[in-house]
Amino acid sequence: MSDLAAAADLDVRLEGHRRELTGYCYRMLGSAFEAEDAVQDTLVRAWRSIDKFEGRSSLRSWLYRIATNVCLDMLTAGSKRARPMDLTAATPVANAQLNSRPEVTWLEPVPDGRVLPTTEDPAEAALARESVRLAFVAALQHLPPKQRAVLILREVLAWKASEVAELLDTSVASVNSALQRARSTLAESEPSQSDPADPLDEEQQKLLDRYVAAFEGYDMTALTALLHEDATLSMPPYDLWLRGHDDIVGWMLGVGEVCRGSRLLPTVANGTPAFAHYHPDPEGGFTPWALMVIETSGGKVSGICSFLDTERWFPLFALPARLDEEGHPVAAP
């Protein structure tokens, strides 16, 4: 094989691991953009040091070793991503104030297609979606970086303890101990449960259809009926969050009144249903307002997280930059 052909073959082999590596780095870092940077760094390092790859482990294992080191280096400053409910207590709507925090504070949403493997196995697909839910990734952020890596590799990716030990240059006993501590920490702040996005689930689709109708029609009676009594609403980059359908509806009829007349387009994020939220434009049509990630359980909506930095999220999710007066996507010029 010529050098040029060998280089092309290596490119294909490395790129074949991009999606799963991005999923791993996203769980480690809690940021879609940092995960992509980490994977790019991993592939560049792999390319530059391929002559040192001795083949004693698989190429995949070697890439995970590099990716783990990249993530650990990025996490040495002690930074961790969070949701508003991880930082403050719920605020009664009567006292609600919008206080913004820097972008690096927040756990970020991620498109399923960038982090979830393609699989025909429903059980594997459900586990993969569960492992990128906002609540689960937020819970991972409470773990020290190496414990985080151990738990993801063992519990999410189903690596053997011996494989993780080799990757981390440690003992099986150390891996098992780290996993036990990680499980204990997660048990103390167990993430709330929610249903994964499932286009084949007719009941879920009916619930989402009713949610869209209530939100677009700004029918607060209908919306209240769809929300769990202790449902939450959060809006990064603001640290404010509300709990309970009464406070959520109170917000929607107060400061949130600006959302009256909005349009929603369905998408998926973090393994759960989501909507691109477009706001009425005084000049006609609709412009981006938020990426709305929805959590559902027991046939009702249990959480709404509206990520407001649409200049970052809409391109990442390949969402239309504008809707026309009828609510249809406007083709880019």
Side-chain angles (χ1 to χ4, degrees):
M1 183 182 293
S2 68
D3 290 345
L4 188 60
D9 178 66
L10 178 59
D11 276 339
V12 171
R13 292 169 65 200
L14 293 177
E15 282 297 322
H17 295 280
R18 181 179 290 274
R19 182 184 293 191
E20 64 171 312
L21 288 172
T22 304
Y24 174 61
C25 293
Y26 173 72
R27 296 178 185 100
M28 285 289 292
L29 302 170
S31 163
F33 294 103
E34 287 184 359
E36 292 195 348
D37 289 344
V39 172
Q40 191 60 33
D41 191 2
T42 295
L43 298 182
V44 169
R45 292 189 191 189
W47 176 267
R48 289 175 175 169
S49 57
I50 191 65
D51 58 325
K52 299 178 183 178
F53 175 55
E54 300 174 351
R56 288 181 295 183
S57 61
S58 67
L59 177 64
R60 178 174 181 259
S61 297
W62 185 60
L63 289 172
Y64 269 92
R65 176 192 288 267
I66 298 173
T68 299
N69 288 333
V70 170
C71 289
L72 293 178
D73 288 344
M74 293 174 72
L75 290 167
T76 51
S79 60
K80 62 180 181 180
R81 301 279 178 154
R83 301 171 301 165
M85 51 277 294
D86 300 318
L87 301 176
T88 65
T91 303
V93 68
N95 301 329
Q97 293 183 334
L98 292 175
N99 301 309
S100 179
R101 296 203 188 192
E103 173 271 319
V104 294
T105 306
W106 303 115
L107 183 68
E108 296 180 351
V110 70
D112 285 11
R114 295 195 179 222
V115 295
L116 296 183
T118 302
T119 176
E120 299 296 328
D121 186 327
E124 287 184 9
L127 176 61
R129 292 190 189 105
E130 169 67 23
S131 71
V132 293
R133 284 196 309 117
L134 288 172
F136 182 77
V137 179
L140 290 176
Q141 305 300 301
H142 294 287
L143 302 175
K146 284 194 175 180
Q147 284 186 30
R148 201 179 306 176
V150 168
L151 186 129
I152 295 168
L153 291 166
R154 292 281 286 119
E155 302 279 83
V156 176
L157 302 178
W159 284 40
K160 297 177 181 177
S162 57
E163 294 172 328
V164 178
E166 182 178 358
L167 182 146
L168 294 175
D169 288 325
T170 188
S171 66
V172 169
S174 294
V175 167
N176 290 335
S177 176
L179 179 60
Q180 185 176 3
R181 293 196 302 273
R183 285 172 173 167
S184 177
T185 300
L186 284 189
E188 294 174 1
S189 56
E190 188 172 356
S192 59
Q193 297 300 308
S194 64
D195 302 322
D198 185 356
L200 300 180
D201 185 334
E202 292 184 8
E203 292 304 313
Q204 183 182 82
Q205 292 309 304
K206 289 178 181 177
L207 171 63
L208 296 174
D209 289 344
R210 292 195 298 271
Y211 178 82
V212 170
F215 192 90
E216 291 188 346
Y218 231 67
D219 184 340
M220 294 298 109
T221 300
L223 185 64
T224 299
L226 297 175
L227 296 174
H228 274 289
E229 187 175 347
D230 61 348
T232 61
L233 170 66
S234 56
M235 296 161 283
Y238 300 112
D239 58 15
L240 169 74
W241 67 283
L242 306 166
R243 183 190 294 279
H245 53 52
D246 289 343
D247 274 355
I248 292 174
V249 168
W251 174 267
M252 299 287 286
L253 293 175
V255 177
E257 181 77 20
V258 294
C259 292
R260 186 182 291 274
S262 293
R263 293 291 181 268
L264 303 181
L265 286 186
T267 183
V268 287
N270 294 79
T272 57
F275 294 99
H277 176 187
Y278 293 84
H279 199 260
D281 186 340
E283 298 182 3
F286 301 84
T287 53
W289 185 259
L291 176 71
M292 183 185 289
V293 181
I294 303 294
E295 294 181 338
T296 67
S297 64
K300 289 192 173 186
V301 173
S302 56
I304 306 167
C305 186
S306 288
F307 293 92
L308 300 178
D309 190 356
T310 57
E311 290 187 2
R312 303 181 78 218
W313 307 129
F314 276 47
L316 180 68
F317 281 77
L319 294 166
R322 182 174 190 82
L323 304 182
D324 63 20
E325 287 76 3
E326 301 299 322
H328 301 134
V330 175

